[in-house]
C-alpha cells in the first residue's frame, strides 16, 4: 500500500474513531487529521506489542485503534 492508500486508510480510521468516541470528537476535519496521525500511533503501539497486521482490514483496525487512543489523549488535555 502506497502513501495515498495509507492516507485514505487514516482518513477512514479518523472517521471511525470519531464515531466510536462520541462526545469526544472534535468535528469531521480534525477527526480526519487525527486519523492520519493516529494511524502512525497505531503502528507504533502495535510494534511495541509485537503485533503485525496484514491487509487493508488489519491496517484499518490498527489505524482506528491508534486514532481512538489519540482522540482520548487529546480529550484529556482539552477539558
Amino acid at each position: 500500500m502506497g502513501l495515498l492508500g495509507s492516507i485514505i486508510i487514516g482518513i477512514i480510521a479518523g472517521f471511525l474513531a470519531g464515531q466510536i468516541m462520541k462526545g469526544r470528537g472534535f468535528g469531521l476535519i480534525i477527526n480526519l487529521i487525527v486519523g492520519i496521525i493516529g494511524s502512525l500511533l497505531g503502528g507504533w503501539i502495535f510494534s511495541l506489542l509485537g503485533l503485525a497486521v496484514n491487509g487493508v482490514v488489519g491496517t484499518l483496525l490498527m489505524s482506528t485503534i491508534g486514532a481512538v487512543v489519540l482522540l482520548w489523549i487529546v480529550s484529556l488535555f482539552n477539558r
Side-chain angles (χ1 to χ4, degrees), residues 41-66:
L41 178 64
W44 181 71
I45 291 171
F46 273 45
S47 69
L48 283 179
L49 297 174
L51 301 173
V53 296
N54 292 322
V56 175
V57 175
T59 305
L60 181 61
L61 179 68
M62 176 194 65
S63 298
T64 302
I65 290 171

Side-chain angles (χ1 to χ4, degrees), residues 1-74:
M1 185 176 341
L3 179 64
L4 183 60
S6 297
I7 291 172
I8 291 171
I9 292 290
I11 288 171
I12 295 169
F15 174 76
L16 291 174
Q19 298 301 309
I20 292 169
M21 300 290 290
K22 288 189 180 191
R24 295 183 188 227
F26 299 101
L28 182 62
I29 301 298
I30 300 298
N31 285 350
L32 298 180
I33 294 169
V34 165
I36 295 170
I37 298 169
S39 66
L40 297 172
L41 178 64
W44 181 71
I45 291 171
F46 273 45
S47 69
L48 283 179
L49 297 174
L51 301 173
V53 296
N54 292 322
V56 175
V57 175
T59 305
L60 181 61
L61 179 68
M62 176 194 65
S63 298
T64 302
I65 290 171
V68 166
V69 168
L70 187 59
L71 277 176
W72 177 72
I73 291 170
V74 169

